[in-house]
Amino acid sequence: MKKLIIYFTVILFVVSCKELGRLDHIDENAPSPKPVEIKDVKNTSGGAIISYNIPDDKNLLGVKAVYTRNGNLVETKASQFVDTLVVEGFGSTNVQDIQLYSIGRNEKLSTPVTVKINPLPPPVQTVKFDLESGFGGVNVNLNENNSEADLALVLMVDTLGNGRFSDIQTFHTKSKKIKFPRRGLKIKPTKFALYLRDRWNNVSDTIYKELTPIEELKIPSDLFRNANLPTDYFTPANGSTGYRLEQIWLGEDASDQNFYASSHSAPVPQWFTIDLGRTVKISRIQKWPRPDYELFTGPAPRIIEFWGSTNPNPTGEWDDSWFLIGEFEQFKPSGYGEGREVGPVTDEDKDYWYNRTEFDVIPTEDAPDPYRPASHIRIRVKSTFQTYGTDTKMSQTIIGQLVFWGQMAE
């Protein structure tokens, strides 16, 4: 009897673990979706908000608006789950025709629905701005940007006096009110121009002014001394003869540990006072950190205030004898993270930290008259990078050097 031998071959199918994308069935033959029904139009600054009823159509993917802005045909889209569309960027109050289309999953479009909108005046027409003479240049002022629109202020100058203006700097902001200084200009009568531009390249009218920058000088530190007021704190680290407060203005000429470092048990906030030995007006303050150390971290000041006085209370108390020159946060070009998070430190951040940190003195709501004469400067460190956003009540402060700019008031 023959033996029947049956071989079973097992074939294994190896399936990769690669995640498969979502597969949607699209009916290419489905008809165009139903058009939207307009519910409401709310005109806004430079645009409008259009509300509509979403069509009951299983083939619907979304809705889009098609319109002409600054001579260009543009589109704004919304998903099938949203019943409003925002159109924006118009540079005038002229009536605008907006075409609304329903979009099918097969990309077929419905018949258009035409909506007329009447945009309100755009920010470039309503925001107030101005130019004035400033220390070493001019100040660019922006006022009443209540919409907090993203605007550029373009500063121009006629350097040759022939009526031809060229751009020298563009400032970007969303602030309601802000003042930008432009320094490094020649101290002579000069013709300047300024206009606003939004992100859609709509522009305002241009203002023209002939201004003379105010001379700015480096305040000599030869007469500086520690005022040593009773409430001041300037105990150096480790009880050392180095790290003294005087290092702040001695800078590279210091003979020992050329930076100031308070003790590790210093209170927060902490302050100290410098007798300038003369009466001055402060326009700008430059700061250098401890060399090659404390890069956006540790005991370096993060928020710091400068106060001025011509007759400080000998008790060292804070009273009306002091006026605020300005409160400043250490600038970081790449921006900070949330809360205490400093975020990544870029090469530009490092360059600014070590070489270009400065605080421009400009009028604010808290410091409406910061250019008043002062014979004493009080530096108040509100927080360091170590204490920022914490309940820490003690922290060392380290400052490499401070240089003051402005004018002699005597």
Side-chain angles (χ1 to χ4, degrees), residues 183 284-287 328 331 352 356-360:
R183 305 192 190 279
R284 176 165 52 108
I285 302 160
Q286 289 179 284
K287 182 180 78 68
F328 308 96
F331 181 63
Y352 192 88
R356 298 187 294 113
T357 291
E358 64 179 22
F359 308 116
D360 287 306

Side-chain angles (χ1 to χ4, degrees), residues 37 45 104 106 151 153 206 260 296-297 313 333 387 391:
E37 295 179 356
S45 178
N106 54 10
L151 296 174
L153 296 93
T206 302
Y260 165 66
F296 292 97
T297 187
N313 190 326
T387 64
D391 295 327

Side-chain angles (χ1 to χ4, degrees), residues 143-308:
N143 300 297
E144 300 181 22
N145 181 19
N146 294 323
S147 66
E148 299 184 39
D150 191 355
L151 296 174
L153 296 93
V154 183
L155 177 64
M156 301 182 292
V157 65
D158 176 7
T159 53
L160 300 178
N162 59 5
R164 296 180 180 179
F165 289 83
S166 57
D167 296 357
I168 59 170
Q169 192 162 355
T170 300
F171 306 93
H172 297 271
T173 185
K174 295 178 68 175
S175 299
K176 291 183 178 181
K177 183 177 182 180
I178 196 168
K179 184 186 292 279
F180 294 104
R182 173 60 163 91
R183 305 192 190 279
L185 303 178
K186 293 182 179 180
I187 312 302
K188 66 175 185 178
T190 306
K191 294 179 180 179
F192 296 93
L194 180 69
Y195 69 90
L196 298 181
R197 185 183 68 229
D198 65 20
R199 58 194 179 99
W200 300 281
N201 287 322
N202 298 309
V203 298
S204 68
D205 292 336
T206 302
I207 60 174
Y208 298 89
K209 280 191 174 183
E210 183 171 312
L211 301 170
T212 301
I214 303 169
E215 186 175 16
E216 183 184 53
L217 303 173
K218 182 180 179 180
I219 305 301
S221 62
D222 57 313
L223 300 180
F224 286 14
R225 68 178 182 85
N226 183 353
N228 193 11
L229 295 178
T231 62
D232 289 355
Y233 190 94
F234 47 84
T235 303
N238 304 324
S240 171
T241 56
Y243 309 125
R244 298 173 300 128
L245 181 65
E246 288 77 6
Q247 311 299 88
I248 284 179
W249 58 86
L250 290 175
E252 295 181 356
D253 296 329
S255 59
D256 184 29
Q257 291 117 349
N258 61 341
F259 57 90
Y260 165 66
S262 65
S263 71
H264 294 275
S265 59
V268 177
Q270 57 189 272
W271 56 85
F272 51 84
T273 309
I274 301 174
D275 181 345
L276 304 177
R278 49 175 59 88
T279 303
V280 303
K281 296 180 180 180
I282 302 297
S283 63
R284 176 165 52 108
I285 302 160
Q286 289 179 284
K287 182 180 78 68
W288 282 269
R290 174 180 175 178
D292 302 319
Y293 193 67
E294 309 294 356
L295 183 62
F296 292 97
T297 187
R302 177 156 176 176
I303 298 181
I304 187 170
E305 292 176 345
F306 294 88
W307 294 76

